[in-house]
Amino acid sequence: MEILWVLMAAIMIGAVLGPFLLRRRGGIRQVAPGSPDAADPADYGFALQEELDIRMPGPDRDLLDVLDVVQGSQSWKAASQLLAGTEVHGEVRWQRVQAFAGAASLELAQRPGGVSDNPGGQWLRVWRAEAPKDAGGAAVHAEFLVQQAWRSSTSGTDEFRIILEEAKEACSQAALLSPGDPVPYIIELSIARGLAYPREEFEQLWLKILDRSPAHMGAHLAALHYWCEKWHGSRDLAYNFAEAAAARAPKGSLLSALPLFAVYEHLPEVNLVRGFYQSEVVTKAVEGALFAVHSARPDDPMLAHVRHLLIFFLVRSERWAEAMHQLVHVDGHVGALPWTLSSDPAADYTVYRALAVGGYEANGGSPATLPH
């Protein structure tokens, strides 16, 4: 029996790692680090692993500058000014609210208070106290509470529910301060997932978002989680939600990429079928995402999110050149799926980047043949 278990384990490990370790003719051959035959990502101008920014999927210089000011001075005013000048219905406001909330949450985790006179995230508490009618501060506070619930407590516990109930009230306050703003309702989507809203209640919440920003990609990604099999839906419900959004996507929208995120959310934990990533369902979703990327505005703030997930699937599908074309657009930032689910996002990303470079060069590619 023990021998049987060993054989089964060997088969499973080989099925997962084998495709990357030994390829058919024209694929990848593993070599020792430092070998003359080893592909070097640096030849393509890619950033060193330790230089990769894990906070965001792509650059937002204004946000980074303001974060430095806020965290350095512990003053909220620069954050308030940035959000006040950010378009209400766009993707950027939602990303910046998440970033400020995440910064405060991380500070609190690093300096929880107690004996400390300067607990982390104090600037957010002061912001809410000194400017209670500031819509940006209200939204950041609501998102902060959501992140605290998911980070510091266990789903389903009393503590988790209490924090999310407080976050729900904070969302209501933020919505009153900015009636046309979809962000408070987008924040509530995570609360709906954590508190297991009945479907009718969830759909009413979703309609409020569609009324305000019907093509909001970030909102669709947040809603997709609710419909997934691991939460309150199923594979079919998640696929139907994603495909319906893609079908009604306006020209230039990244919603055509949503089915790829649905596929990712339902990947098997262990894949024993070598051709899974060349299957019809994966190929169709990848092609939809590539179409979305090619059609989108170059400055679309959600573009980097789609490119990062495409890198994962294109490498797994052995589409090396296409993976390289995505890498040149996002390298330097790794704060996106699938890397953010890892304890070391930069390390996971660089593994896939190295595989892409190796596959590209094994099939005749070089830095000279890769357009930037």
Side-chain angles (χ1 to χ4, degrees), residues 149-234:
W150 290 100
R151 283 181 178 175
S152 64
S153 56
T154 303
S155 176
T157 62
D158 288 343
E159 180 187 11
F160 180 78
R161 175 171 287 277
I162 289 169
I163 299 173
L164 286 186
E165 291 287 1
E166 184 182 354
K168 184 176 181 179
E169 177 58 31
C171 285
S172 297
Q173 294 174 11
L176 289 173
L177 292 171
S178 185
D181 188 350
V183 168
Y185 300 103
I186 298 173
I187 296 170
E188 192 177 345
L189 291 172
S190 292
I191 300 170
R193 176 162 52 99
L195 295 181
Y197 280 20
R199 287 185 183 174
E200 183 178 350
E201 185 177 356
F202 183 87
E203 287 170 350
Q204 289 173 354
L205 171 62
W206 182 238
L207 286 175
K208 293 177 182 178
I209 295 170
L210 292 182
D211 285 344
R212 290 161 176 80
S213 190
H216 199 292
M217 180 69 173
H220 281 79
L221 289 175
L224 177 63
H225 289 294
Y226 179 90
W227 295 112
C228 286
E229 190 172 62
K230 59 189 173 185
W231 286 105
H232 309 297
S234 66

Side-chain angles (χ1 to χ4, degrees), residues 79-95:
S80 176
Q81 290 171 358
L82 182 65
L83 288 179
T86 304
E87 199 271 316
V88 169
H89 296 94
E91 307 279 354
V92 175
R93 182 178 175 84
W94 167 228
Q95 292 189 16

